[in-house]
C-alpha cells in the first residue's frame, strides 16, 4: 500500500469530517440572543400595577404600595360582601402567587359627604396561613373573614361599625 494509499485513506477520513465542521461553523454564525424572556417571580416595584390589575377586585383600589415584602392596599368600600371578596383575593394573590410577599395590610376607606373615613384595617402575615386555610379562602363573605381573628388582625373604627351595621340591617 504505499504512501499514496495511506494518503488516500487520510483524505477520505478528512472529507468525512467536513460535514461536522460545517455544522459547528453554522452554529457559531447564528445570532446570539442578548435578551431572553424570563417569567417574573414575585412582586416587585416594576410589576406592582400590572400584578394587581390582574386581580379581579370588586372595589376600586385607592392606593397600593410595596415596601420590604409588605403589600399595602387601600380599598374603597362599597359593600361588606365585596370588601370580603377583595380581601380574600388580595391575600390569595399575595401568599399563593407572589412568593416574596410576607405581610398584607388592607385598609377599607369609606366616602361620604364629609370626605373619606377609615372603616377598618386588616393585617395578616404569610406565616399565619396553611395551604389548606388559603384554599378555603376562595370566596368568603365578610362575616366569614371576621371569624378569623388569629389569621386577620382586624381593627374596626366607629364609622366602620356603623357601616357594617347598616349593611347587616338591610
Amino acid at each position: 500500500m504505499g504512501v499514496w494509499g495511506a494518503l488516500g485513506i487520510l483524505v477520505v477520513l478528512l472529507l468525512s469530517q467536513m460535514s461536522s465542521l460545517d455544522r459547528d461553523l453554522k452554529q457559531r454564525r447564528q445570532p446570539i440572543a442578548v435578551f431572553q424572556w424570563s417569567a417574573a417571580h414575585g412582586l416587585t416595584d416594576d410589576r406592582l400595577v400590572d400584578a394587581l390589575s390582574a386581580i379581579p377586585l370588586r372595589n376600586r383600589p385607592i392606593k397600593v404600595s410595596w415596601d420590604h415584602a409588605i403589600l399595602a392596599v387601600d380599598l374603597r368600600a362599597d359593600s361588606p360582601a365585596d370588601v370580603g371578596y377583595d380581601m380574600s383575593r388580595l391575600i390569595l394573590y399575595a401568599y399563593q402567587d407572589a412568593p416574596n410577599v410576607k405581610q398584607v395590610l388592607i385598609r377599607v376607606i369609606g366616602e361620604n359627604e364629609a370626605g373619606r373615613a377609615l372603616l377598618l384595617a386588616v393585617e395578616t402575615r404569610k406565616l399565619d396561613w396553611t395551604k389548606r386555610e388559603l384554599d378555603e379562602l376562595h370566596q368568603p363573605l365578610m362575616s366569614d373573614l371576621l371569624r378569623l381573628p388569629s389569621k386577620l388582625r382586624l381593627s374596626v373604627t366607629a364609622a366602620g361599625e356603623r357601616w357594617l351595621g347598616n349593611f347587616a340591617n338591610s
Side-chain angles (χ1 to χ4, degrees):
M1 179 156 113
V3 173
W4 290 109
L7 190 59
I9 292 174
L10 184 61
V11 168
V12 169
L13 287 173
L14 286 175
L15 287 174
S16 68
Q17 295 298 316
M18 289 297 282
S19 64
S20 67
L21 290 174
D22 186 45
R23 200 174 328 123
D24 291 341
L25 190 59
K26 282 183 182 177
Q27 281 182 336
R28 288 184 193 161
R29 288 187 181 172
Q30 285 182 345
I32 299 172
V34 177
F35 298 103
Q36 292 182 349
W37 181 85
S38 66
H41 298 288
L43 198 56
T44 63
D45 289 331
D46 297 336
R47 293 191 58 243
L48 183 62
V49 172
D50 292 334
L52 291 181
S53 64
I55 302 171
L57 298 176
R58 293 179 180 170
N59 292 291
R60 182 177 54 91
I62 298 170
K63 180 182 174 188
V64 177
S65 65
W66 169 249
D67 188 30
H68 294 88
I70 300 171
L71 174 63
V73 180
D74 290 357
L75 290 174
R76 190 184 85 203
D78 286 332
S79 75
D82 288 344
V83 169
Y85 175 86
D86 289 350
M87 288 189 333
S88 67
R89 290 290 146 249
L90 288 166
I91 292 167
L92 283 170
Y93 169 76
Y95 298 154
Q96 286 185 335
D97 299 337
N100 61 336
V101 177
K102 291 186 173 51
Q103 185 177 10
V104 175
L105 307 173
I106 301 170
R107 295 188 318 169
V108 178
I109 310 292
E111 295 182 29
N112 57 27
E113 61 278 346
R116 290 184 174 172
L118 177 65
L119 301 178
L120 57 97
V122 172
E123 185 265 338
T124 182
R125 297 172 193 264
K126 186 175 192 169
L127 295 175
D128 294 340
W129 296 87
T130 65
K131 183 180 177 344
R132 191 182 114 263
E133 290 168 333
L134 285 171
D135 289 340
E136 292 172 0
L137 245 186
H138 278 284
Q139 197 158 358
L141 299 171
M142 185 67 177
S143 58
D144 297 334
L145 290 173
L146 295 176
R147 292 189 190 118
L148 298 169
S150 64
K151 306 295 176 204
L152 302 173
R153 283 164 283 295
L154 178 70
S155 301
V156 181
T157 65
E161 288 177 4
R162 287 190 301 276
W163 176 69
L164 290 170
N166 287 342
F167 279 98
N169 293 332
S170 57

